[in-house]
């Protein structure tokens, strides 16, 4: 997914690739000097909150919010796809975090985190897009999915860390379902087109 995000957009008029790289580099420099905002060695709710803020969710929500603010502010300009913007933003962050996390030799950080980042980077914008297209209950369900995805991803991180696999595995699977659905439908469109 990260490699696909680096490919040049089909429409040459679309902007944002350089901005995503610059934003990711700025965030990666900040995370290099301030690696954690919350204590890493905590347990229980504090560990879940650490996963939400420092590891799993906030690194994805920052470029997502930034991209939506660009879209609101500069409506007349066309930008690259939102998931592509977020994934490109996360590449420098992943490089710095990967170096920091490599000292721990922890599969949760090195394997699960990029998976959950990709799932959120694709799943949240897809759910918000579906919410705008649908009406009634389906719109509500799509908005609820966009809100629950980051919470489930952080719960998956917390569950694997706490060795509560009965909570971790379903949370990880459910949080990746919208991105898998999007990838399958995008792949089917490329086969038809």
């Amino acid at each position: 997914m990260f490699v696909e995000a680096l490919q040049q957009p089909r429409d040459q008029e679309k902007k944002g690739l350089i901005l995503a790289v610059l934003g990711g580099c700025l965030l990666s420099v900040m995370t290099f000097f301030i690696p954690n905002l919350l204590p890493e060695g905590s347990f229980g709710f504090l560990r879940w909150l650490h996963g939400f803020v420092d590891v799993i969710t906030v690194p994805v929500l920052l470029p997502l919010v930034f991209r939506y603010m660009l879209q609101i502010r500069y409506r007349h300009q066309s930008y690259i796809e939102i998931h592509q913007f977020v994934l490109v933003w996360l590449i420098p962050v992943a490089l710095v975090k990967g170096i920091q996390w490599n000292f721990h030799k922890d599969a949760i950080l090195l394997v699960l985190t990029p998976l959950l980042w990709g799932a959120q980077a694709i799943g949240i914008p897809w759910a918000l897009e579906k919410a705008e297209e649908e009406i009634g209950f389906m719109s509500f369900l799509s908005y609820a999915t966009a809100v629950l995805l980051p919470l489930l991803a952080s719960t998956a991180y917390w569950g694997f860390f706490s060795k509560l696999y009965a909570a971790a595995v379903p949370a990880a699977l459910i949080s990746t379902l919208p991105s898998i659905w999007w990838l399958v439908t995008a792949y089917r469109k490329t086969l038809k087109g």
Side-chain angles (χ1 to χ4, degrees):
M1 290 185 295
F2 287 94
V3 171
E4 185 260 335
L6 280 174
Q7 294 175 354
Q8 188 69 12
R10 290 183 186 93
D11 185 1
Q12 299 298 324
E13 295 296 315
K14 291 190 175 182
K15 300 172 172 52
L17 195 60
I18 303 297
L19 194 58
V21 171
L22 291 176
C25 289
L26 179 66
L27 186 61
S28 63
V29 167
M30 289 174 53
T31 57
F32 180 77
F33 290 110
I34 307 168
N36 294 319
L37 297 174
L38 294 171
E40 187 177 358
S42 56
F43 287 92
F45 178 71
L46 280 177
R47 186 61 184 203
W48 184 90
L49 198 58
H50 165 73
F52 186 86
V53 172
D54 291 324
V55 182
I56 301 294
T57 302
V58 171
V60 176
L61 291 181
L62 283 174
L64 196 65
V65 168
F66 185 77
R67 172 60 172 70
Y68 276 121
M69 286 173 31
L70 279 176
Q71 187 173 329
I72 291 169
R73 175 70 174 96
Y74 302 105
R75 282 185 194 267
H76 62 281
Q77 295 186 12
S78 61
Y79 288 95
I80 60 174
E81 298 295 327
I82 193 160
H83 67 274
Q84 188 177 14
F85 184 88
V86 175
L87 289 171
V88 169
W89 180 299
L90 287 173
I91 289 171
V93 178
L95 290 172
V96 170
K97 289 284 193 181
I99 292 168
Q100 292 173 343
W101 292 336
N102 197 33
F103 294 116
H104 299 296
K105 305 278 193 251
D106 187 2
I108 295 170
L109 294 172
L110 294 172
V111 177
L112 183 70
T113 300
L115 175 72
L116 293 175
W117 279 0
Q120 292 177 91
I122 292 174
I124 295 171
W126 176 79
L128 291 174
E129 182 181 308
K130 285 295 177 193
E132 291 174 7
E133 292 174 1
E134 301 291 337
I135 57 171
F137 180 72
M138 292 305 291
S139 177
F140 169 77
L141 190 62
S142 297
Y143 278 123
T145 301
V147 171
L148 289 176
L149 273 177
L151 300 176
L152 282 171
S154 297
T155 302
Y157 166 79
W158 169 80
F160 278 110
F161 175 80
S162 302
K163 296 185 178 22
L164 297 172
Y165 301 118
V169 172
L173 290 175
I174 293 170
S175 64
T176 57
L177 282 178
S179 61
I180 292 170
W181 179 265
W182 183 87
L183 287 169
V184 167
T185 55
Y187 180 71
R188 288 174 64 191
K189 283 180 187 175
T190 57
L191 289 178
K192 290 179 183 177

